[in-house]
């Protein structure tokens, strides 16, 4: 009986060891890889938080837990500018300069989000409340187009009535961002950051959704044409 008990304990210990080892091994896949030094120059004082991921500024979206799929249907992130002046107004711009690909960015800058009249007291706490000129559109890089950068800029808004031309409103792609900034005398951003991701199907660790995830899959199909 004593031998049987020792054998059972040994088997239990071995099982627990295997479970722990597997968890550690799976956890290793979820590494937050920082951007290269060349891309990190844009990371200046801005924080971008997505569900589950936390602050993803200056990072590559991890290739685990289907994060690269999830981000294509999550709502807008929390954007926090801790050094914002409480009595000032700000403009938030989110663009993809790599549309349709970084090697051939013919459709840059794809406008993912444009909000004006954001009070400093709000964005300082991570609230983006203002005039939404372009509603948030999640990152959805085309398959086999490589990694895309998603860039966030915050500008001090000294003028009222910031708007887009009717031509600019017709499409989010091919946006002449520099002309928009010049039109309203917006020079250097007060803060900025960026993250990178690629199409979830291009990830070596991608796991196809189960039968219960058809709704998630359909959501992505609708926005695949976007960048």
């Amino acid at each position: 009986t004593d031998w049987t008990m020792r054998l059972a304990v040994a088997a239990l210990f071995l099982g627990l060891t295997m479970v722990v080892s597997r968890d550690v091994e799976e956890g290793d896949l979820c590494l937050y890889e920082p951007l290269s030094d060349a891309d990190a120059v844009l990371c200046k004082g801005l924080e971008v938080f997505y569900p589950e991921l936390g602050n993803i500024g200056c990072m590559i979206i991890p290739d685990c837990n289907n994060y690269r799929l999830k981000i294509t249907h999550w709502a807008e992130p929390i954007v926090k500018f801790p050094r914002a002046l409480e009595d000032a107004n700000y403009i938030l711009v989110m663009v993809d300069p790599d549309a349709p690909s970084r090697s051939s960015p013919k459709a840059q800058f794809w406008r993912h989000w444009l909000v004006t009249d954001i009070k400093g007291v709000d964005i300082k706490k991570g609230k983006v409340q203002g005039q939404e000129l372009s509603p948030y559109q999640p990152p959805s890089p085309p398959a086999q187009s490589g990694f895309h950068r998603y860039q966030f800029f915050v500008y001090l808004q000294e003028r009222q009535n910031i708007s887009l031309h009717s031509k600019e409103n017709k499409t989010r792609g091919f946006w002449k961002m520099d002309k928009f900034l010049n039109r309203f005398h917006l020079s250097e951003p007060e803060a900025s950051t960026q993250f990178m991701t690629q199409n979830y199907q291009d990830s070596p660790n991608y796991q196809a959704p189960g039968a219960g995830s058809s709704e998630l899959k359909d959501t992505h199909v609708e926005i695949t044409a976007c960048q």
Side-chain angles (χ1 to χ4, degrees):
T1 305
D2 187 45
W3 170 250
T4 306
M5 181 66 71
R6 278 188 288 176
L7 190 62
V9 170
L12 180 61
F13 178 78
L14 180 61
L16 288 172
T17 303
M18 289 174 68
V19 170
V20 171
S21 298
R22 188 164 64 248
D23 286 347
V24 170
E25 194 173 309
E26 287 175 359
D28 287 344
L29 296 176
C30 214
L31 295 174
Y32 282 57
E33 186 180 347
L35 298 182
S36 67
D37 291 343
D39 285 322
V41 296
L42 203 69
C43 305
K44 298 176 182 177
L46 203 59
E47 301 170 5
V48 176
F49 298 85
Y50 278 96
E52 301 179 37
L53 288 169
N55 180 17
I56 202 65
C58 221
M59 308 294 283
I60 297 173
I61 300 297
D63 184 14
C64 59
N65 298 333
N66 282 344
Y67 284 145
R68 293 177 184 175
L69 168 58
K70 290 177 180 178
I71 202 170
T72 66
H73 74 277
W74 276 332
E76 66 271 9
I78 292 171
V79 180
K80 186 182 292 186
F81 177 28
R83 293 188 295 104
L85 302 174
E86 293 191 359
D87 57 350
N89 285 344
Y90 294 92
I91 298 170
L92 172 66
V93 179
M94 174 187 175
V95 291
D96 173 5
D98 304 322
S101 69
R102 191 164 184 173
S103 59
S104 182
K106 298 174 184 176
Q108 69 171 209
F109 288 85
W110 192 280
R111 196 172 64 252
H112 278 265
W113 202 13
L114 178 58
V115 188
T116 66
D117 303 304
I118 306 169
K119 297 184 184 303
V121 68
D122 286 334
I123 198 168
K124 189 170 187 175
K125 300 174 183 176
K127 295 180 182 177
V128 178
Q129 298 176 333
Q131 182 69 25
E132 205 169 40
L133 300 185
S134 293
Y136 176 75
Q137 185 182 71
S140 186
Q144 299 179 340
S145 67
F147 279 90
H148 286 230
R149 293 166 292 173
Y150 292 90
Q151 302 179 334
F152 295 76
F153 301 94
V154 168
Y155 296 90
L156 185 63
Q157 181 180 339
E158 297 180 345
R159 295 185 173 204
Q160 300 301 316
N161 302 321
I162 307 293
S163 61
L164 290 169
H165 287 328
S166 56
K167 186 178 179 182
E168 290 175 298
N169 267 320
K170 287 180 181 178
T171 176
R172 290 174 180 257
F174 305 95
W175 187 40
K176 306 300 182 188
M177 183 175 165
D178 55 342
K179 289 186 176 181
F180 171 82
L181 296 175
N182 289 335
R183 194 159 77 235
F184 296 106
H185 303 285
L186 301 169
S187 53
E188 289 296 310
E190 298 295 303
S192 60
T193 194
Q194 65 179 340
F195 65 81
M196 287 173 55
T197 189
Q198 65 176 352
N199 186 284
Y200 65 99
Q201 292 174 322
D202 296 338
S203 298
N205 297 312
Y206 170 66
Q207 297 174 354
S213 303
S214 57
E215 184 179 344
L216 180 63
K217 200 171 183 180
D218 292 342
T219 302
H220 180 78
V221 170
E222 291 175 6
I223 59 174
T224 299
C226 308
Q227 307 299 324

